[in-house]
Amino acid sequence: MGTFDWRVIYDNFPFLMQGLLTTVELAVIGITGGLLLGVLVGMARLSSRKIIYYPATLFVNFFRSLPLLLVIFWFYFLVPLLAGRPMGDFFSASVAFIIFEASYFAEIIRAGIQSISKEQMQAGYSTGFTYGQTMRYIIVPQALRNMVPSLLTQAVVVFQDTSLAYVIGVKEFLRSASIVDAREMRSLELYAFIGVIYFVFCFTMSKMSKRLEAKKGFAK
Amino acid sequence: MIEIQNVSKWFGNFRVLENVSETIENGQVVVICGPSGAGKSMLCKCLNGLEPFQEGDIVVDGISLNDPSTNLIKLRQKMGMVFQRFELYPHMKILENITIAPIKVKKMSQADADKKAYKLLERVGIPEQAKKYPGNLSGGQQQRVAIARALAMEPEIMLFDEPTSALDPEMIKEVLDVMIDLAKSGMTMVVVTHEMGFAREVADEIIFMEKGKIIERGTDVSFFKNPKSERTKEFLDKILLV
């Protein structure tokens, strides 16, 4: 194996950073898209109308019961089929992440809203608020505070999960390292380096979520 | 005026209200008491449509709650409600708790709503708490804010669902004093409570409920002096021990 040679990082730095950028892009798309879709699905899970509740519940239970890797594969084959033309691996991966992560975000949102007592809803109604006003002014602001730590934790998970896009050829951070490795044969240095970067990103995000959790403690 | 006409309510097969009828005139104070599980709170929440009922009707100032065209949102603006566990909004300061409904529902200006809120806080005796969050207030203070919040919508009727049963004993009086004041000002009130001192002082009628039914009603004198049913006697003996 010989001695460590960190020059491999230096020499391939721009290429590796390009990979990191792809990882960040994919994570941002997965998080924002997943969150937006998750809000809709989470609200639908709270609906008393069966036609809204059941499809949303099916969606959530279905995707939460599948391995992400499988979902990424599916969409890799499914998306071009649905679109009728090749859409590229990055696009397929984005769709897979949005849909998969939405099922997790939806549950966080549903649980957050349900964590607010029924009486708060009644208190809102009793002062003449509509359903929408009660949700907007009373329930959602309180629910959000309860949800923020879980949402951030899930965001960290999405960031880590993006490495699975490796398997369909997306040149994200992990794959870019393995491409360099195939040429330079410096596995230890390369994988140690990207490990450190993953760690710094995720650890910082977790710390932020911990701090927010401590801050949110408004007196009950 | 509230007319409760033969109201029944079920949870599945379990009947929580059974043929309840009662008329509450404007300016009257009606106290509802009875053992837990008697349906008192349920009846109270049916009055402003927070809980649906399956049979009978409730008519508030000529507006039927049963009528599908009735706008419950509008109706609730005439009826304030105070809950057992206060239910202040924990993420808003006391002042906002009181002003949010007048501002959002009645489109009152911020300045007018603030002025009104301070007046109401003055009335319930805690104007100095306006800038605090509910969590920093005692239970008695929170309940007084809850009363002020309901009054901010200028309701014609006030509903109280066990307003003092979640309070420490020494805080009960400060809340009852506010309620007695309110009763004496001529407010129509429906109060679910076991505070018989309160009932004696201001109630025009006292209703005793058990198992979803009204089993006795009377003016304060007749109710306390010579209850007709054995069950009422037994109940009064228990709660009047102190």
Side-chain angles (χ1 to χ4, degrees):
Chain A
M1 201 162 63
T3 48
F4 285 110
D5 183 2
W6 296 99
R7 245 190 359 227
V8 64
I9 310 295
Y10 182 79
D11 290 344
N12 295 287
F13 198 71
F15 183 76
L16 289 170
M17 285 306 110
Q18 189 57 47
L20 179 59
L21 185 68
T22 305
T23 283
V24 171
E25 280 171 359
L26 198 53
V28 168
I29 290 171
I31 292 166
T32 46
L35 192 57
L36 288 176
L37 183 59
V39 168
L40 294 179
V41 176
M43 300 288 269
R45 289 261 289 141
L46 293 166
S47 175
S48 53
R49 281 191 224 155
K50 287 186 178 148
I51 190 148
I52 299 175
Y53 171 83
Y54 279 113
T57 304
L58 184 72
F59 174 88
V60 166
N61 288 333
F62 183 71
F63 281 104
R64 279 167 58 102
S65 311
L66 292 174
L68 175 55
L69 198 52
L70 177 67
V71 175
I72 291 172
F73 266 130
W74 268 4
F75 280 92
Y76 180 62
F77 296 112
L78 198 65
V79 168
L81 219 64
L82 290 175
R85 64 194 172 91
M87 298 297 289
D89 44 30
F90 184 83
F91 186 84
S92 296
S94 302
V95 174
F97 275 105
I98 289 172
I99 300 223
F100 185 81
E101 301 301 340
S103 68
Y104 283 83
F105 281 122
E107 281 301 88
I108 294 173
I109 283 151
R110 179 196 57 74
I113 288 175
Q114 281 183 335
S115 72
I116 309 303
S117 76
K118 188 182 161 203
E119 281 71 26
Q120 282 283 306
M121 196 89 205
Q122 294 187 334
Y125 282 149
S126 79
T127 54
F129 281 149
T130 59
Y131 173 80
Q133 286 173 320
T134 309
M135 277 311 230
R136 182 169 161 203
Y137 300 120
I138 313 302
I139 307 297
V140 171
Q142 294 184 61
L144 262 181
R145 291 189 200 211
N146 292 352
M147 283 179 224
V148 163
S150 311
L151 290 175
L152 279 172
T153 306
Q154 189 60 29
V156 174
V157 171
V158 178
F159 185 82
Q160 295 166 340
D161 282 351
T162 55
S163 61
L164 292 174
Y166 176 104
V167 296
I168 54 167
V170 177
K171 284 203 196 70
E172 44 67 62
F173 201 30
L174 179 61
R175 189 167 195 93
S176 64
S178 87
I179 291 172
V180 174
D181 183 40
R183 194 175 59 225
E184 312 253 3
M185 312 288 268
R186 283 283 164 198
S187 309
L188 268 176
E189 292 88 340
L190 281 160
Y191 292 125
F193 171 70
I194 67 162
V196 168
I197 302 290
Y198 271 117
F199 178 83
V200 169
F201 264 74
C202 294
F203 188 71
T204 315
M205 280 160 80
S206 307
K207 271 279 164 253
M208 270 166 51
S209 112
K210 276 276 175 312
R211 279 184 58 180
L212 271 168
E213 203 166 344
K215 243 174 81 178
K216 96 174 177 159
F218 58 95
K220 275 237 164 180
Chain B
M1 190 168 100
I2 307 173
E3 292 160 273
I4 306 168
Q5 302 162 353
N6 272 316
V7 166
S8 291
K9 176 181 173 69
W10 282 265
F11 279 130
N13 287 327
F14 181 64
R15 202 170 191 180
V16 281
L17 292 174
E18 191 172 340
N19 294 323
V20 173
S21 292
E22 167 71 12
T23 303
I24 301 158
E25 303 283 350
N26 286 343
Q28 259 196 335
V29 176
V30 174
V31 164
I32 306 174
C33 62
S36 65
K40 308 168 304 240
S41 294
M42 211 40 82
L43 179 61
C44 196
K45 284 181 177 170
C46 282
L47 293 182
N48 64 350
L50 285 181
E51 288 283 350
F53 48 89
Q54 283 79 36
E55 260 178 28
D57 200 0
I58 295 174
V59 182
V60 180
D61 290 339
I63 302 162
S64 154
L65 263 68
N66 239 353
D67 185 345
S69 71
T70 293
N71 185 341
L72 281 177
I73 306 294
K74 271 254 153 15
L75 187 78
R76 289 191 191 115
Q77 294 169 22
K78 294 155 69 105
M79 307 170 90
M81 180 149 195
V82 175
F83 297 81
Q84 183 173 1
R85 300 210 51 88
F86 332 130
E87 302 306 335
L88 295 180
Y89 311 133
H91 58 302
M92 295 181 190
K93 290 179 177 164
I94 298 304
L95 196 65
E96 294 170 82
N97 260 279
I98 302 174
T99 56
I100 181 138
I103 290 172
K104 301 298 178 193
V105 177
K106 289 198 164 169
K107 310 291 172 209
M108 199 183 265
S109 75
Q110 180 78 52
D112 287 349
D114 282 356
K115 227 169 91 187
K116 191 177 181 70
Y118 272 110
K119 257 194 193 149
L120 286 165
L121 282 174
E122 205 81 58
R123 184 168 170 188
V124 300
I126 38 172
E128 73 283 358
Q129 309 289 350
K131 298 281 184 206
K132 292 189 185 162
Y133 282 96
N136 298 324
L137 270 61
S138 73
Q141 290 172 329
Q142 288 193 52
Q143 196 59 302
R144 286 189 277 162
V145 172
I147 296 173
R149 175 177 71 183
L151 290 176
M153 288 298 287
E154 299 184 336
E156 293 159 28
I157 299 158
M158 283 286 281
L159 309 174
F160 293 84
D161 182 12
E162 306 210 30
T164 58
S165 45
L167 294 178
D168 288 339
E170 71 259 38
M171 290 168 186
I172 291 177
K173 187 175 178 300
E174 65 188 54
V175 172
L176 288 181
D177 284 347
V178 171
M179 290 167 61
I180 290 169
D181 254 12
L182 199 57
K184 288 183 173 162
S185 75
M187 175 67 76
T188 309
M189 289 163 69
V190 177
V191 185
V192 177
T193 187
H194 291 157
E195 295 297 330
M196 289 300 127
F198 171 82
R200 271 213 185 93
E201 186 156 353
V202 294
D204 296 294
E205 188 171 26
I206 303 168
I207 293 172
F208 180 73
M209 284 181 78
E210 194 189 25
K211 293 182 184 151
K213 278 190 280 199
I214 295 182
I215 58 174
E216 179 140 0
R217 67 183 84 216
T219 61
D220 62 341
V221 184
S222 67
F223 188 81
F224 289 112
K225 287 265 162 75
N226 35 14
K228 287 171 217 124
S229 81
E230 239 351 272
R231 187 65 186 89
T232 314
K233 221 175 272 175
E234 200 183 302
F235 178 80
L236 283 177
D237 280 346
K238 273 187 196 141
I239 64 166
L240 291 179
L241 263 182
V242 282

